[in-house]
Amino acid sequence: MDCLFCKIIAGDIPCKKVYEDDNMLAFHDIAPEAPVHVLVIPKCHIGSMDEVNEANSGVVAKIFEKIPEIAKMAGVKNGYRLISNCGPDAGQSVMHLHFHIIGGTELPLHVFPDQE
Ligand code: AMP
Ligand code: ZN
């Protein structure tokens, strides 16, 4: 399968690893949008949030259990935002489920910058 994140999991493409276990891999985003910007991905290929189902949601639960620890490992001290872009309107660019942990600074509250 021609999937960038499956290639990172296989070790064919390098990454700056933060955490790894049997279920997931966490690594620094190549184009960080904040002082802390880590991606957490399941080792099994799930295309997006739209493909989470009864058969594979266990690994998603494992990821959610681990995210607070991964955020601390990445240097978060004062809160973070968790984002999963799903589909074209959200700008999903890699079709392998991933969760962005974003933090290390105070983040803008709104999706659209001109919102009050
Ligand atoms: P999304 O736009 O939500 O699909 O997020 C994909 C993210 O993957 C973007 O923030 C990219 O900067 C990031 N990305 C793309 N290629 C790599 C890579 N080789 N290593 C680490 N992060 C990557
Ligand atoms: Zn994949």
Side-chain angles (χ1 to χ4, degrees), residues 4-5 8 13-15 27-31 33 37 39 84-85 90-94 98 100:
L4 174 68
F5 286 174
I8 288 178
I13 293 174
C15 72
F27 53 97
H28 293 282
D29 196 291
I30 205 166
E33 294 190 16
H37 189 167
L39 302 174
S84 188
N85 294 317
Q92 183 180 1
S93 62
V94 180
H98 51 282
H100 299 253

mmCIF file with all atom_site columns, all heavy atoms in Angstrom, residues 4-5 8 13-15 27-31 33 37 39 84-85 90-94 98 100, ligand 1:
data_model
loop_
_atom_site.group_PDB
_atom_site.id
_atom_site.type_symbol
_atom_site.label_atom_id
_atom_site.label_alt_id
_atom_site.label_comp_id
_atom_site.label_asym_id
_atom_site.label_entity_id
_atom_site.label_seq_id
_atom_site.pdbx_PDB_ins_code
_atom_site.Cartn_x
_atom_site.Cartn_y
_atom_site.Cartn_z
_atom_site.occupancy
_atom_site.B_iso_or_equiv
_atom_site.pdbx_formal_charge
_atom_site.auth_seq_id
_atom_site.auth_comp_id
_atom_site.auth_asym_id
_atom_site.auth_atom_id
_atom_site.pdbx_PDB_model_num
ATOM   1   N N   . LEU A 1 4   ? 2.249   6.893  3.236  1.00 0.00 ? 4   LEU A N   1
ATOM   2   C CA  . LEU A 1 4   ? 3.428   7.518  3.852  1.00 0.00 ? 4   LEU A CA  1
ATOM   3   C C   . LEU A 1 4   ? 3.626   7.056  5.297  1.00 0.00 ? 4   LEU A C   1
ATOM   4   O O   . LEU A 1 4   ? 4.745   6.713  5.708  1.00 0.00 ? 4   LEU A O   1
ATOM   5   C CB  . LEU A 1 4   ? 3.262   9.038  3.789  1.00 0.00 ? 4   LEU A CB  1
ATOM   6   C CG  . LEU A 1 4   ? 4.313   9.882  4.494  1.00 0.00 ? 4   LEU A CG  1
ATOM   7   C CD1 . LEU A 1 4   ? 5.657   9.774  3.793  1.00 0.00 ? 4   LEU A CD1 1
ATOM   8   C CD2 . LEU A 1 4   ? 3.872   11.338 4.569  1.00 0.00 ? 4   LEU A CD2 1
ATOM   9   N N   . PHE A 1 5   ? 2.540   7.055  6.075  1.00 0.00 ? 5   PHE A N   1
ATOM   10  C CA  . PHE A 1 5   ? 2.717   6.727  7.493  1.00 0.00 ? 5   PHE A CA  1
ATOM   11  C C   . PHE A 1 5   ? 2.963   5.234  7.694  1.00 0.00 ? 5   PHE A C   1
ATOM   12  O O   . PHE A 1 5   ? 3.678   4.848  8.631  1.00 0.00 ? 5   PHE A O   1
ATOM   13  C CB  . PHE A 1 5   ? 1.520   7.220  8.306  1.00 0.00 ? 5   PHE A CB  1
ATOM   14  C CG  . PHE A 1 5   ? 1.502   8.728  8.500  1.00 0.00 ? 5   PHE A CG  1
ATOM   15  C CD1 . PHE A 1 5   ? 0.408   9.356  9.108  1.00 0.00 ? 5   PHE A CD1 1
ATOM   16  C CD2 . PHE A 1 5   ? 2.565   9.528  8.102  1.00 0.00 ? 5   PHE A CD2 1
ATOM   17  C CE1 . PHE A 1 5   ? 0.390   10.740 9.291  1.00 0.00 ? 5   PHE A CE1 1
ATOM   18  C CE2 . PHE A 1 5   ? 2.550   10.904 8.274  1.00 0.00 ? 5   PHE A CE2 1
ATOM   19  C CZ  . PHE A 1 5   ? 1.456   11.516 8.866  1.00 0.00 ? 5   PHE A CZ  1
ATOM   20  N N   . ILE A 1 8   ? 6.600   4.980  7.302  1.00 0.00 ? 8   ILE A N   1
ATOM   21  C CA  . ILE A 1 8   ? 7.305   5.432  8.506  1.00 0.00 ? 8   ILE A CA  1
ATOM   22  C C   . ILE A 1 8   ? 7.274   4.320  9.555  1.00 0.00 ? 8   ILE A C   1
ATOM   23  O O   . ILE A 1 8   ? 8.293   4.014  10.184 1.00 0.00 ? 8   ILE A O   1
ATOM   24  C CB  . ILE A 1 8   ? 6.699   6.752  9.044  1.00 0.00 ? 8   ILE A CB  1
ATOM   25  C CG1 . ILE A 1 8   ? 7.073   7.900  8.090  1.00 0.00 ? 8   ILE A CG1 1
ATOM   26  C CG2 . ILE A 1 8   ? 7.178   7.048  10.467 1.00 0.00 ? 8   ILE A CG2 1
ATOM   27  C CD1 . ILE A 1 8   ? 6.503   9.267  8.466  1.00 0.00 ? 8   ILE A CD1 1
ATOM   28  N N   . ILE A 1 13  ? 10.872  5.168  5.867  1.00 0.00 ? 13  ILE A N   1
ATOM   29  C CA  . ILE A 1 13  ? 11.054  6.628  5.894  1.00 0.00 ? 13  ILE A CA  1
ATOM   30  C C   . ILE A 1 13  ? 11.356  7.000  7.341  1.00 0.00 ? 13  ILE A C   1
ATOM   31  O O   . ILE A 1 13  ? 10.664  6.530  8.256  1.00 0.00 ? 13  ILE A O   1
ATOM   32  C CB  . ILE A 1 13  ? 9.784   7.361  5.387  1.00 0.00 ? 13  ILE A CB  1
ATOM   33  C CG1 . ILE A 1 13  ? 9.577   7.065  3.898  1.00 0.00 ? 13  ILE A CG1 1
ATOM   34  C CG2 . ILE A 1 13  ? 9.870   8.858  5.627  1.00 0.00 ? 13  ILE A CG2 1
ATOM   35  C CD1 . ILE A 1 13  ? 8.284   7.614  3.319  1.00 0.00 ? 13  ILE A CD1 1
ATOM   36  N N   . PRO A 1 14  ? 12.415  7.796  7.573  1.00 0.00 ? 14  PRO A N   1
ATOM   37  C CA  . PRO A 1 14  ? 12.784  8.108  8.962  1.00 0.00 ? 14  PRO A CA  1
ATOM   38  C C   . PRO A 1 14  ? 11.803  9.064  9.634  1.00 0.00 ? 14  PRO A C   1
ATOM   39  O O   . PRO A 1 14  ? 11.087  9.816  8.952  1.00 0.00 ? 14  PRO A O   1
ATOM   40  C CB  . PRO A 1 14  ? 14.165  8.766  8.824  1.00 0.00 ? 14  PRO A CB  1
ATOM   41  C CG  . PRO A 1 14  ? 14.208  9.291  7.431  1.00 0.00 ? 14  PRO A CG  1
ATOM   42  C CD  . PRO A 1 14  ? 13.303  8.435  6.594  1.00 0.00 ? 14  PRO A CD  1
ATOM   43  N N   . CYS A 1 15  ? 11.789  9.037  10.950 1.00 0.00 ? 15  CYS A N   1
ATOM   44  C CA  . CYS A 1 15  ? 11.009  10.020 11.710 1.00 0.00 ? 15  CYS A CA  1
ATOM   45  C C   . CYS A 1 15  ? 11.746  10.307 13.005 1.00 0.00 ? 15  CYS A C   1
ATOM   46  O O   . CYS A 1 15  ? 12.640  9.566  13.402 1.00 0.00 ? 15  CYS A O   1
ATOM   47  C CB  . CYS A 1 15  ? 9.597   9.493  11.998 1.00 0.00 ? 15  CYS A CB  1
ATOM   48  S SG  . CYS A 1 15  ? 9.562   8.173  13.242 1.00 0.00 ? 15  CYS A SG  1
ATOM   49  N N   . PHE A 1 27  ? 5.578   10.676 16.689 1.00 0.00 ? 27  PHE A N   1
ATOM   50  C CA  . PHE A 1 27  ? 6.785   11.314 16.154 1.00 0.00 ? 27  PHE A CA  1
ATOM   51  C C   . PHE A 1 27  ? 6.512   12.785 15.875 1.00 0.00 ? 27  PHE A C   1
ATOM   52  O O   . PHE A 1 27  ? 5.353   13.208 15.729 1.00 0.00 ? 27  PHE A O   1
ATOM   53  C CB  . PHE A 1 27  ? 7.262   10.600 14.869 1.00 0.00 ? 27  PHE A CB  1
ATOM   54  C CG  . PHE A 1 27  ? 6.200   10.442 13.809 1.00 0.00 ? 27  PHE A CG  1
ATOM   55  C CD1 . PHE A 1 27  ? 6.102   11.357 12.754 1.00 0.00 ? 27  PHE A CD1 1
ATOM   56  C CD2 . PHE A 1 27  ? 5.292   9.399  13.861 1.00 0.00 ? 27  PHE A CD2 1
ATOM   57  C CE1 . PHE A 1 27  ? 5.130   11.221 11.772 1.00 0.00 ? 27  PHE A CE1 1
ATOM   58  C CE2 . PHE A 1 27  ? 4.298   9.255  12.885 1.00 0.00 ? 27  PHE A CE2 1
ATOM   59  C CZ  . PHE A 1 27  ? 4.224   10.161 11.850 1.00 0.00 ? 27  PHE A CZ  1
ATOM   60  N N   . HIS A 1 28  ? 7.600   13.554 15.804 1.00 0.00 ? 28  HIS A N   1
ATOM   61  C CA  . HIS A 1 28  ? 7.468   14.992 15.569 1.00 0.00 ? 28  HIS A CA  1
ATOM   62  C C   . HIS A 1 28  ? 7.010   15.261 14.141 1.00 0.00 ? 28  HIS A C   1
ATOM   63  O O   . HIS A 1 28  ? 7.527   14.669 13.191 1.00 0.00 ? 28  HIS A O   1
ATOM   64  C CB  . HIS A 1 28  ? 8.806   15.699 15.826 1.00 0.00 ? 28  HIS A CB  1
ATOM   65  C CG  . HIS A 1 28  ? 9.228   15.664 17.260 1.00 0.00 ? 28  HIS A CG  1
ATOM   66  N ND1 . HIS A 1 28  ? 8.677   16.507 18.206 1.00 0.00 ? 28  HIS A ND1 1
ATOM   67  C CD2 . HIS A 1 28  ? 10.098  14.872 17.919 1.00 0.00 ? 28  HIS A CD2 1
ATOM   68  C CE1 . HIS A 1 28  ? 9.225   16.239 19.396 1.00 0.00 ? 28  HIS A CE1 1
ATOM   69  N NE2 . HIS A 1 28  ? 10.084  15.254 19.248 1.00 0.00 ? 28  HIS A NE2 1
ATOM   70  N N   . ASP A 1 29  ? 6.044   16.175 13.996 1.00 0.00 ? 29  ASP A N   1
ATOM   71  C CA  . ASP A 1 29  ? 5.592   16.593 12.669 1.00 0.00 ? 29  ASP A CA  1
ATOM   72  C C   . ASP A 1 29  ? 6.755   17.262 11.930 1.00 0.00 ? 29  ASP A C   1
ATOM   73  O O   . ASP A 1 29  ? 7.517   18.030 12.511 1.00 0.00 ? 29  ASP A O   1
ATOM   74  C CB  . ASP A 1 29  ? 4.405   17.570 12.800 1.00 0.00 ? 29  ASP A CB  1
ATOM   75  C CG  . ASP A 1 29  ? 3.645   17.726 11.491 1.00 0.00 ? 29  ASP A CG  1
ATOM   76  O OD1 . ASP A 1 29  ? 4.218   18.312 10.540 1.00 0.00 ? 29  ASP A OD1 1
ATOM   77  O OD2 . ASP A 1 29  ? 2.499   17.255 11.426 1.00 0.00 ? 29  ASP A OD2 1
ATOM   78  N N   . ILE A 1 30  ? 6.864   16.960 10.647 1.00 0.00 ? 30  ILE A N   1
ATOM   79  C CA  . ILE A 1 30  ? 7.979   17.486 9.844  1.00 0.00 ? 30  ILE A CA  1
ATOM   80  C C   . ILE A 1 30  ? 7.842   18.996 9.609  1.00 0.00 ? 30  ILE A C   1
ATOM   81  O O   . ILE A 1 30  ? 8.836   19.673 9.331  1.00 0.00 ? 30  ILE A O   1
ATOM   82  C CB  . ILE A 1 30  ? 8.058   16.713 8.497  1.00 0.00 ? 30  ILE A CB  1
ATOM   83  C CG1 . ILE A 1 30  ? 9.461   16.764 7.916  1.00 0.00 ? 30  ILE A CG1 1
ATOM   84  C CG2 . ILE A 1 30  ? 7.009   17.197 7.505  1.00 0.00 ? 30  ILE A CG2 1
ATOM   85  C CD1 . ILE A 1 30  ? 9.694   15.769 6.792  1.00 0.00 ? 30  ILE A CD1 1
ATOM   86  N N   . ALA A 1 31  ? 6.643   19.528 9.745  1.00 0.00 ? 31  ALA A N   1
ATOM   87  C CA  . ALA A 1 31  ? 6.395   20.963 9.539  1.00 0.00 ? 31  ALA A CA  1
ATOM   88  C C   . ALA A 1 31  ? 5.611   21.500 10.741 1.00 0.00 ? 31  ALA A C   1
ATOM   89  O O   . ALA A 1 31  ? 4.414   21.800 10.624 1.00 0.00 ? 31  ALA A O   1
ATOM   90  C CB  . ALA A 1 31  ? 5.628   21.188 8.242  1.00 0.00 ? 31  ALA A CB  1
ATOM   91  N N   . GLU A 1 33  ? 3.651   23.354 13.600 1.00 0.00 ? 33  GLU A N   1
ATOM   92  C CA  . GLU A 1 33  ? 2.885   24.605 13.616 1.00 0.00 ? 33  GLU A CA  1
ATOM   93  C C   . GLU A 1 33  ? 2.860   25.223 15.009 1.00 0.00 ? 33  GLU A C   1
ATOM   94  O O   . GLU A 1 33  ? 2.182   26.220 15.246 1.00 0.00 ? 33  GLU A O   1
ATOM   95  C CB  . GLU A 1 33  ? 1.466   24.333 13.109 1.00 0.00 ? 33  GLU A CB  1
ATOM   96  C CG  . GLU A 1 33  ? 1.478   23.941 11.645 1.00 0.00 ? 33  GLU A CG  1
ATOM   97  C CD  . GLU A 1 33  ? 0.107   23.894 11.002 1.00 0.00 ? 33  GLU A CD  1
ATOM   98  O OE1 . GLU A 1 33  ? -0.840  24.441 11.576 1.00 0.00 ? 33  GLU A OE1 1
ATOM   99  O OE2 . GLU A 1 33  ? 0.010   23.295 9.914  1.00 0.00 ? 33  GLU A OE2 1
ATOM   100 N N   . HIS A 1 37  ? 4.578   19.800 18.343 1.00 0.00 ? 37  HIS A N   1
ATOM   101 C CA  . HIS A 1 37  ? 3.648   19.313 17.307 1.00 0.00 ? 37  HIS A CA  1
ATOM   102 C C   . HIS A 1 37  ? 4.033   17.870 16.999 1.00 0.00 ? 37  HIS A C   1
ATOM   103 O O   . HIS A 1 37  ? 4.984   17.596 16.253 1.00 0.00 ? 37  HIS A O   1
ATOM   104 C CB  . HIS A 1 37  ? 3.718   20.183 16.049 1.00 0.00 ? 37  HIS A CB  1
ATOM   105 C CG  . HIS A 1 37  ? 2.648   19.872 15.049 1.00 0.00 ? 37  HIS A CG  1
ATOM   106 N ND1 . HIS A 1 37  ? 2.353   20.679 13.981 1.00 0.00 ? 37  HIS A ND1 1
ATOM   107 C CD2 . HIS A 1 37  ? 1.782   18.819 14.953 1.00 0.00 ? 37  HIS A CD2 1
ATOM   108 C CE1 . HIS A 1 37  ? 1.375   20.152 13.271 1.00 0.00 ? 37  HIS A CE1 1
ATOM   109 N NE2 . HIS A 1 37  ? 1.016   19.005 13.843 1.00 0.00 ? 37  HIS A NE2 1
ATOM   110 N N   . LEU A 1 39  ? 2.676   13.852 16.041 1.00 0.00 ? 39  LEU A N   1
ATOM   111 C CA  . LEU A 1 39  ? 1.626   13.031 15.437 1.00 0.00 ? 39  LEU A CA  1
ATOM   112 C C   . LEU A 1 39  ? 1.617   11.672 16.108 1.00 0.00 ? 39  LEU A C   1
ATOM   113 O O   . LEU A 1 39  ? 2.678   11.078 16.322 1.00 0.00 ? 39  LEU A O   1
ATOM   114 C CB  . LEU A 1 39  ? 1.886   12.857 13.938 1.00 0.00 ? 39  LEU A CB  1
ATOM   115 C CG  . LEU A 1 39  ? 1.971   14.136 13.108 1.00 0.00 ? 39  LEU A CG  1
ATOM   116 C CD1 . LEU A 1 39  ? 2.369   13.798 11.669 1.00 0.00 ? 39  LEU A CD1 1
ATOM   117 C CD2 . LEU A 1 39  ? 0.655   14.901 13.135 1.00 0.00 ? 39  LEU A CD2 1
ATOM   118 N N   . SER A 1 84  ? -7.702  15.773 14.817 1.00 0.00 ? 84  SER A N   1
ATOM   119 C CA  . SER A 1 84  ? -7.639  14.779 13.756 1.00 0.00 ? 84  SER A CA  1
ATOM   120 C C   . SER A 1 84  ? -8.413  15.324 12.566 1.00 0.00 ? 84  SER A C   1
ATOM   121 O O   . SER A 1 84  ? -9.641  15.434 12.614 1.00 0.00 ? 84  SER A O   1
ATOM   122 C CB  . SER A 1 84  ? -8.224  13.445 14.224 1.00 0.00 ? 84  SER A CB  1
ATOM   123 O OG  . SER A 1 84  ? -7.982  12.452 13.245 1.00 0.00 ? 84  SER A OG  1
ATOM   124 N N   . ASN A 1 85  ? -7.696  15.707 11.534 1.00 0.00 ? 85  ASN A N   1
ATOM   125 C CA  . ASN A 1 85  ? -8.350  16.189 10.314 1.00 0.00 ? 85  ASN A CA  1
ATOM   126 C C   . ASN A 1 85  ? -8.912  15.000 9.558  1.00 0.00 ? 85  ASN A C   1
ATOM   127 O O   . ASN A 1 85  ? -8.220  14.002 9.361  1.00 0.00 ? 85  ASN A O   1
ATOM   128 C CB  . ASN A 1 85  ? -7.344  16.950 9.447  1.00 0.00 ? 85  ASN A CB  1
ATOM   129 C CG  . ASN A 1 85  ? -6.878  18.232 10.105 1.00 0.00 ? 85  ASN A CG  1
ATOM   130 O OD1 . ASN A 1 85  ? -7.678  18.971 10.670 1.00 0.00 ? 85  ASN A OD1 1
ATOM   131 N ND2 . ASN A 1 85  ? -5.578  18.499 10.073 1.00 0.00 ? 85  ASN A ND2 1
ATOM   132 N N   . ALA A 1 90  ? -11.493 19.334 5.949  1.00 0.00 ? 90  ALA A N   1
ATOM   133 C CA  . ALA A 1 90  ? -10.600 19.511 7.102  1.00 0.00 ? 90  ALA A CA  1
ATOM   134 C C   . ALA A 1 90  ? -9.137  19.575 6.673  1.00 0.00 ? 90  ALA A C   1
ATOM   135 O O   . ALA A 1 90  ? -8.254  19.811 7.498  1.00 0.00 ? 90  ALA A O   1
ATOM   136 C CB  . ALA A 1 90  ? -10.803 18.379 8.104  1.00 0.00 ? 90  ALA A CB  1
ATOM   137 N N   . GLY A 1 91  ? -8.878  19.325 5.383  1.00 0.00 ? 91  GLY A N   1
ATOM   138 C CA  . GLY A 1 91  ? -7.504  19.406 4.881  1.00 0.00 ? 91  GLY A CA  1
ATOM   139 C C   . GLY A 1 91  ? -6.664  18.182 5.196  1.00 0.00 ? 91  GLY A C   1
ATOM   140 O O   . GLY A 1 91  ? -5.429  18.275 5.246  1.00 0.00 ? 91  GLY A O   1
ATOM   141 N N   . GLN A 1 92  ? -7.310  17.033 5.390  1.00 0.00 ? 92  GLN A N   1
ATOM   142 C CA  . GLN A 1 92  ? -6.525  15.816 5.643  1.00 0.00 ? 92  GLN A CA  1
ATOM   143 C C   . GLN A 1 92  ? -5.615  15.553 4.437  1.00 0.00 ? 92  GLN A C   1
ATOM   144 O O   . GLN A 1 92  ? -6.085  15.447 3.308  1.00 0.00 ? 92  GLN A O   1
ATOM   145 C CB  . GLN A 1 92  ? -7.436  14.611 5.884  1.00 0.00 ? 92  GLN A CB  1
ATOM   146 C CG  . GLN A 1 92  ? -6.639  13.348 6.231  1.00 0.00 ? 92  GLN A CG  1
ATOM   147 C CD  . GLN A 1 92  ? -7.527  12.127 6.481  1.00 0.00 ? 92  GLN A CD  1
ATOM   148 O OE1 . GLN A 1 92  ? -8.754  12.200 6.377  1.00 0.00 ? 92  GLN A OE1 1
ATOM   149 N NE2 . GLN A 1 92  ? -6.898  11.012 6.818  1.00 0.00 ? 92  GLN A NE2 1
ATOM   150 N N   . SER A 1 93  ? -4.305  15.460 4.692  1.00 0.00 ? 93  SER A N   1
ATOM   151 C CA  . SER A 1 93  ? -3.359  15.291 3.578  1.00 0.00 ? 93  SER A CA  1
ATOM   152 C C   . SER A 1 93  ? -2.698  13.918 3.578  1.00 0.00 ? 93  SER A C   1
ATOM   153 O O   . SER A 1 93  ? -2.147  13.510 2.559  1.00 0.00 ? 93  SER A O   1
ATOM   154 C CB  . SER A 1 93  ? -2.289  16.388 3.615  1.00 0.00 ? 93  SER A CB  1
ATOM   155 O OG  . SER A 1 93  ? -1.532  16.304 4.803  1.00 0.00 ? 93  SER A OG  1
ATOM   156 N N   . VAL A 1 94  ? -2.732  13.218 4.704  1.00 0.00 ? 94  VAL A N   1
ATOM   157 C CA  . VAL A 1 94  ? -2.189  11.854 4.760  1.00 0.00 ? 94  VAL A CA  1
ATOM   158 C C   . VAL A 1 94  ? -3.328  10.929 5.173  1.00 0.00 ? 94  VAL A C   1
ATOM   159 O O   . VAL A 1 94  ? -3.926  11.099 6.242  1.00 0.00 ? 94  VAL A O   1
ATOM   160 C CB  . VAL A 1 94  ? -1.009  11.742 5.764  1.00 0.00 ? 94  VAL A CB  1
ATOM   161 C CG1 . VAL A 1 94  ? -0.474  10.312 5.779  1.00 0.00 ? 94  VAL A CG1 1
ATOM   162 C CG2 . VAL A 1 94  ? 0.106   12.722 5.404  1.00 0.00 ? 94  VAL A CG2 1
ATOM   163 N N   . HIS A 1 98  ? -4.400  9.912  12.076 1.00 0.00 ? 98  HIS A N   1
ATOM   164 C CA  . HIS A 1 98  ? -3.359  10.477 12.945 1.00 0.00 ? 98  HIS A CA  1
ATOM   165 C C   . HIS A 1 98  ? -3.971  11.558 13.817 1.00 0.00 ? 98  HIS A C   1
ATOM   166 O O   . HIS A 1 98  ? -4.916  12.244 13.425 1.00 0.00 ? 98  HIS A O   1
ATOM   167 C CB  . HIS A 1 98  ? -2.187  11.041 12.137 1.00 0.00 ? 98  HIS A CB  1
ATOM   168 C CG  . HIS A 1 98  ? -2.575  11.980 11.041 1.00 0.00 ? 98  HIS A CG  1
ATOM   169 N ND1 . HIS A 1 98  ? -3.079  11.533 9.836  1.00 0.00 ? 98  HIS A ND1 1
ATOM   170 C CD2 . HIS A 1 98  ? -2.545  13.333 10.960 1.00 0.00 ? 98  HIS A CD2 1
ATOM   171 C CE1 . HIS A 1 98  ? -3.330  12.585 9.060  1.00 0.00 ? 98  HIS A CE1 1
ATOM   172 N NE2 . HIS A 1 98  ? -3.026  13.687 9.726  1.00 0.00 ? 98  HIS A NE2 1
ATOM   173 N N   . HIS A 1 100 ? -2.940  14.953 15.902 1.00 0.00 ? 100 HIS A N   1
ATOM   174 C CA  . HIS A 1 100 ? -1.943  15.998 16.138 1.00 0.00 ? 100 HIS A CA  1
ATOM   175 C C   . HIS A 1 100 ? -2.034  16.396 17.615 1.00 0.00 ? 100 HIS A C   1
ATOM   176 O O   . HIS A 1 100 ? -3.116  16.758 18.090 1.00 0.00 ? 100 HIS A O   1
ATOM   177 C CB  . HIS A 1 100 ? -2.258  17.259 15.332 1.00 0.00 ? 100 HIS A CB  1
ATOM   178 C CG  . HIS A 1 100 ? -2.267  17.090 13.835 1.00 0.00 ? 100 HIS A CG  1
ATOM   179 N ND1 . HIS A 1 100 ? -1.268  17.572 13.021 1.00 0.00 ? 100 HIS A ND1 1
ATOM   180 C CD2 . HIS A 1 100 ? -3.171  16.514 13.002 1.00 0.00 ? 100 HIS A CD2 1
ATOM   181 C CE1 . HIS A 1 100 ? -1.565  17.312 11.745 1.00 0.00 ? 100 HIS A CE1 1
ATOM   182 N NE2 . HIS A 1 100 ? -2.715  16.665 11.719 1.00 0.00 ? 100 HIS A NE2 1
HETATM 183 P P1  . AMP B 2 .   ? -3.049  16.268 7.999  1.00 0.00 ? 1   AMP B P1  1
HETATM 184 O O1  . AMP B 2 .   ? -2.909  17.507 7.159  1.00 0.00 ? 1   AMP B O1  1
HETATM 185 O O2  . AMP B 2 .   ? -3.957  16.380 9.157  1.00 0.00 ? 1   AMP B O2  1
HETATM 186 O O3  . AMP B 2 .   ? -3.320  15.047 7.135  1.00 0.00 ? 1   AMP B O3  1
HETATM 187 O O4  . AMP B 2 .   ? -1.616  16.051 8.673  1.00 0.00 ? 1   AMP B O4  1
HETATM 188 C C1  . AMP B 2 .   ? -0.539  15.450 8.040  1.00 0.00 ? 1   AMP B C1  1
HETATM 189 C C2  . AMP B 2 .   ? 0.675   15.943 8.749  1.00 0.00 ? 1   AMP B C2  1
HETATM 190 O O5  . AMP B 2 .   ? 1.753   15.086 8.413  1.00 0.00 ? 1   AMP B O5  1
HETATM 191 C C3  . AMP B 2 .   ? 1.102   17.370 8.366  1.00 0.00 ? 1   AMP B C3  1
HETATM 192 O O6  . AMP B 2 .   ? 1.093   18.190 9.536  1.00 0.00 ? 1   AMP B O6  1
HETATM 193 C C4  . AMP B 2 .   ? 2.496   17.170 7.797  1.00 0.00 ? 1   AMP B C4  1
HETATM 194 O O7  . AMP B 2 .   ? 3.384   18.218 8.136  1.00 0.00 ? 1   AMP B O7  1
HETATM 195 C C5  . AMP B 2 .   ? 2.914   15.854 8.409  1.00 0.00 ? 1   AMP B C5  1
HETATM 196 N N1  . AMP B 2 .   ? 3.922   15.103 7.669  1.00 0.00 ? 1   AMP B N1  1
HETATM 197 C C6  . AMP B 2 .   ? 3.941   14.858 6.335  1.00 0.00 ? 1   AMP B C6  1
HETATM 198 N N2  . AMP B 2 .   ? 5.004   14.093 6.025  1.00 0.00 ? 1   AMP B N2  1
HETATM 199 C C7  . AMP B 2 .   ? 5.670   13.851 7.186  1.00 0.00 ? 1   AMP B C7  1
HETATM 200 C C8  . AMP B 2 .   ? 6.850   13.133 7.532  1.00 0.00 ? 1   AMP B C8  1
HETATM 201 N N3  . AMP B 2 .   ? 7.590   12.495 6.600  1.00 0.00 ? 1   AMP B N3  1
HETATM 202 N N4  . AMP B 2 .   ? 7.253   13.121 8.825  1.00 0.00 ? 1   AMP B N4  1
HETATM 203 C C9  . AMP B 2 .   ? 6.524   13.761 9.769  1.00 0.00 ? 1   AMP B C9  1
HETATM 204 N N5  . AMP B 2 .   ? 5.399   14.443 9.511  1.00 0.00 ? 1   AMP B N5  1
HETATM 205 C C10 . AMP B 2 .   ? 4.971   14.500 8.242  1.00 0.00 ? 1   AMP B C10 1
#
